Amino acid sequence: MEIKRSPLLAALLSLAIPGLGQVYAGQRYRGVSILIGSLVAAGMVFWYGDPLWYFVPVVIQLWNAWDAFSLAGQGRARSILIPVVFAMAAAYTIGWQVVGIDFAAADANRALQILRPMLRPDFIQPRREVNSMYVPVEVPCSPQPAQARREEDGKTAMVMPDCGRVGETMIVNVTGLWPNTETEIVWNTPIGNALMLGGNEDAMLKMQTDETGALTTAIRVPRTALVAAPDPTLPQNHRVVVYQYRPLGGIELSYIGGEVAHGALATVGMALIATVLAVIFAIPISFLAAHNLMSGNPVTYAIYFVVRTLLNILRSIESLIIAIVFVVIVGLGTFAGALALALHSIAALAKLYSEVIEGIDPGPIEAIRATGANWLQTVRYAVIPQIIPPFTAFTIYRWDINVRSATIVGFVGGGGLGFLLIELIRVNNMQGVSAVFITIAVIVTAMDYISAKIRERLV
């Protein structure tokens, strides 16, 4: 026998507590959903505090009472379009204002100053002969710093004092260079990242040698010399490097172009190493995280629950955050980036692999188990033949993802193109930034094409 509900009472209950009238009318899930949605909308509006939007919770509440009245009286639910439209309009407008979007603040002149150099990417330069010399410098000072002096091929370079702090002034003296030749002076960090010393550390410092091939100049330890160091209080060997050039005719890779090429190889290699390591560990872990294989007894089910929980935790932490941890543990460079990508990829691939295993045809598994086969035999003869094609597809797809992610982890010291990009942005070298952008686009496009072809052949 159908129980009659009072439409008026349902409407009053929903006015008192959003969704209560729907629960009274027998629609529990609808009532709970309306309660949660109403609280979220009201909380957003009252948190923002603009009286202009106070009408949104009122409209939602009136609709809520109307919906409860209709459910109790006619058994028909009203369309949720009205509350959704009002709530989304409020959310979008409030979000717009909270973010502070102001197109009038855009500076067209500043944009052109950035974009114009990017139209001339720094890849190549006229071919030239290079004469270089460097001297190691400790930053910051150790209790007994090594002498900042070096001799090579008749050239001598020295820095006074032998060590220093960020921002401290030093005197550089180099002899034995080409005479009367323009000379560039740069600062190299322990991982080989070049920092400019001219202007406000955003321009190349250039000096002229005298007729004997000597030069002396004052420099300052760059502000960004220790920005990516795992521990800025520990002394590290930096370098002051001088370069001279003579034209030879033709063209060659520029210094930035060479760094971009090196960074591209490091980025692709980092992604490949991370993916291989991830596959090695993810495959066995995925079998432990598959419900249909591990639900046979309490012990295996407990293992399944623990493994699945750990995978969820690891996947919830971005590879960028993991890279920061590994930079502290193993230092700057691509090794830290590869470890970070590998750890995150293990969790991601193991989850994908386990879902593939859970979705396979259960018939072969049941047939193998019926013969008395153990767990390993079941996996070998009933599971593996079904999972090879999707495993291959997911692995290639993850490699594609890791190529993109390898650029991002470089922002925090993980090496590769990302580290070069952040340094070029820091010194406002937009021609170099453009070269990196183009290289990243080429790599991603090429990897996407290659991975698609591999999937066509193997899957």
Side-chain angles (χ1 to χ4, degrees), residues 60-76:
I60 294 176
Q61 190 69 340
L62 291 175
W63 172 89
N64 168 42
W66 180 36
D67 181 67
F69 184 91
S70 180
L71 276 173
Q74 305 171 13
R76 188 168 66 118

Side-chain angles (χ1 to χ4, degrees), residues 84-323:
V84 167
V85 168
F86 276 88
M88 292 301 295
Y92 183 79
T93 306
I94 291 173
W96 182 285
Q97 295 174 356
V98 169
V99 172
I101 296 176
D102 182 10
F103 291 110
D107 188 342
N109 292 329
R110 176 60 179 162
L112 289 175
Q113 289 176 5
I114 294 173
L115 293 176
R116 280 198 188 104
M118 295 184 71
L119 297 176
R120 304 185 304 276
D122 187 359
F123 277 117
I124 58 175
Q125 64 186 14
R127 187 165 166 264
R128 54 191 181 176
E129 181 183 3
V130 181
N131 183 31
S132 64
M133 183 62 178
Y134 76 87
V135 57
V137 181
E138 272 191 9
V139 178
C141 294
S142 63
Q144 294 181 330
Q147 185 180 17
R149 177 185 172 87
R150 183 170 174 271
E151 297 182 8
E152 180 185 61
D153 298 333
K155 294 173 285 191
T156 302
M158 60 185 299
V159 174
M160 297 175 291
D162 298 320
C163 61
R165 301 182 303 274
V166 171
E168 186 173 341
T169 299
M170 295 180 157
I171 304 299
V172 179
N173 177 263
V174 188
T175 60
L177 299 173
W178 294 333
N180 302 316
T181 304
E182 186 179 72
T183 306
E184 297 178 354
I185 306 171
V186 299
W187 184 281
N188 276 9
T189 64
I191 62 172
N193 182 46
L195 304 178
M196 296 186 183
L197 296 171
N200 191 26
E201 297 180 13
D202 58 359
M204 184 66 70
L205 177 60
K206 298 181 180 181
M207 302 291 296
Q208 190 87 2
T209 55
D210 61 20
E211 61 275 2
T212 66
L215 69 81
T216 301
T217 186
I219 64 169
R220 261 193 253 177
V221 180
R223 296 189 301 268
T224 57
L226 301 177
V227 70
D231 186 351
T233 64
L234 295 179
Q236 292 183 317
N237 282 326
H238 296 241
R239 289 181 177 182
V240 176
V241 190
V242 297
Y243 295 99
Q244 293 181 309
Y245 305 100
R246 286 177 179 169
L248 294 175
I251 58 173
E252 63 181 0
L253 274 178
S254 65
Y255 174 78
I256 295 297
E259 291 296 305
V260 170
H262 181 269
L265 290 174
T267 297
V268 174
M270 193 193 319
L272 182 60
I273 291 172
T275 305
V276 172
L277 288 174
V279 170
I280 293 173
F281 288 97
I283 288 178
I285 292 173
S286 65
F287 289 98
L288 301 178
H291 185 270
N292 56 340
L293 298 181
M294 302 297 290
S295 59
N297 61 70
V299 175
T300 57
Y301 187 76
I303 294 173
Y304 158 81
F305 181 78
V306 171
V307 172
R308 200 77 171 198
T309 302
L310 290 175
L311 292 179
N312 288 334
I313 293 173
L314 278 177
R315 286 190 310 111
S316 67
I317 305 173
E318 267 298 323
S319 54
L320 186 68
I321 307 301
I322 301 174

